[in-house]
């Protein structure tokens, strides 16, 4: 349970470090904030694996074919990566670039989600008389 | 892996800035720009290693 204190500590330390370095070297401040975010993510990454294993078991029991689950996992991963880069772009000041990255991510997620939509339509077609 | 890398990068940043100023005072301007560039490249390499680790671990988790 002490992981939450570690995360808070790293967040505060990164903020203070960026404040210290900003007047001396502006570009290092952005790099330090990126590294702080990365460290926090590394701390929580093994919790993620636990969550996804449990979801996998639940889905296994419920009988939904695992193809949907892997696509869903990929979409979550892409969504997270895109948000990570877009927020860094916004941090460095070029938010228009962040929006373009978001747009690209949405389109890729849409492309990956199409097979799910087609399977749902097939299921509905079977239900109809 | 934890907090020390943040302090390392902050230290490198401050050091390169000081070295750049000192070199500039003694009149060697080109060397000072080179020194600041070298500091920047060292930090970028460290950050690249971290990002590479992030991508590999994300790949294994979200089984891309």
């Amino acid at each position: 349970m002490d992981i939450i204190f570690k995360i808070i500590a790293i967040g505060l330390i990164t903020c203070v470090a960026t404040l210290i370095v900003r007047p001396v070297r502006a570009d290092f401040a952005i790099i330090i904030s990126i590294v702080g975010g990365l460290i926090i993510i590394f701390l929580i990454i093994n919790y993620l694996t636990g969550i996804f294993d449990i979801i996998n078991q639940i889905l296994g029991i419920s009988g939904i074919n695992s193809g949907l689950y892997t696509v869903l996992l990929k979409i979550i991963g892409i969504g997270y990566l895109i948000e990570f880069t877009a927020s860094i772009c916004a941090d460095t000041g070029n938010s228009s670039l962040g929006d373009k990255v978001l747009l690209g991510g949405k389109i890729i997620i849409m492309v990956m989600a199409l097979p799910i939509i087609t399977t749902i339509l097939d299921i509905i077609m079977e239900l109809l008389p | 892996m934890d907090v020390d890398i943040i302090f390392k990068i902050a230290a490198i940043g401050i050091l390169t800035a000081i070295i750049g100023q000192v070199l500039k005072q003694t009149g060697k301007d080109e060397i000072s720009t080179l020194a600041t560039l070298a500091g920047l490249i060292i930090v970028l390499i460290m950050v690249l290693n971290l990002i590479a680790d992030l991508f590999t671990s994300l790949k294994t988790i979200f089984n891309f």
Side-chain angles (χ1 to χ4, degrees), chain A residues 6 24 28 31 39 42 52 81, chain B residues 2 5 13 17 40 47 58 62:
Chain A
K6 232 180 199 184
V24 183
F28 275 46
I31 292 176
I39 289 175
F42 281 138
F52 286 140
L81 276 176
Chain B
D2 275 337
I5 195 159
L40 194 63
V47 174
L58 279 184
F62 293 114

Side-chain angles (χ1 to χ4, degrees), chain A residues 7-113:
Chain A
I7 290 172
I8 292 170
I10 288 178
L12 293 179
I13 287 170
T14 321
C15 294
V16 170
T18 40
L19 278 180
I20 291 170
V21 176
R22 182 157 286 142
V24 183
R25 288 293 306 271
D27 47 4
F28 275 46
I30 301 288
I31 292 176
I32 288 179
S33 62
I34 293 173
V35 168
L38 281 176
I39 289 175
I40 289 179
I41 291 154
F42 281 138
L43 283 178
I44 57 170
I45 227 157
N46 28 32
Y47 290 91
L48 269 179
T49 42
I51 293 170
F52 286 140
D53 294 346
I54 293 169
I55 291 177
N56 208 349
Q57 285 155 15
I58 294 170
L59 276 180
I61 297 164
S62 71
I64 300 171
N65 64 12
S66 75
L68 296 187
Y69 175 64
T70 45
V71 175
L72 187 67
L73 219 53
K74 281 203 180 93
I75 288 175
I76 293 174
I78 290 175
Y80 168 67
L81 276 176
I82 294 297
E83 192 274 334
F84 181 76
T85 20
S87 53
I88 290 176
C89 292
D91 255 2
T92 52
N94 31 31
S95 56
S96 65
L97 190 67
D99 295 343
K100 290 182 182 55
V101 170
L102 278 172
L103 177 68
K106 284 180 187 136
I107 288 169
I108 290 172
I109 286 176
M110 187 63 197
V111 165
M112 296 191 72

Side-chain angles (χ1 to χ4, degrees), chain B residues 12-42:
Chain B
I12 291 177
I14 293 170
L15 265 177
T16 44
I18 291 168
I19 291 171
Q21 292 299 339
V22 167
L23 283 172
K24 217 166 277 178
Q25 298 312 333
T26 57
K28 301 187 180 60
D29 284 353
E30 327 78 43
I31 300 177
S32 83
T33 46
L34 284 179
T36 40
L37 264 182
L40 194 63
I41 288 166
I42 290 170

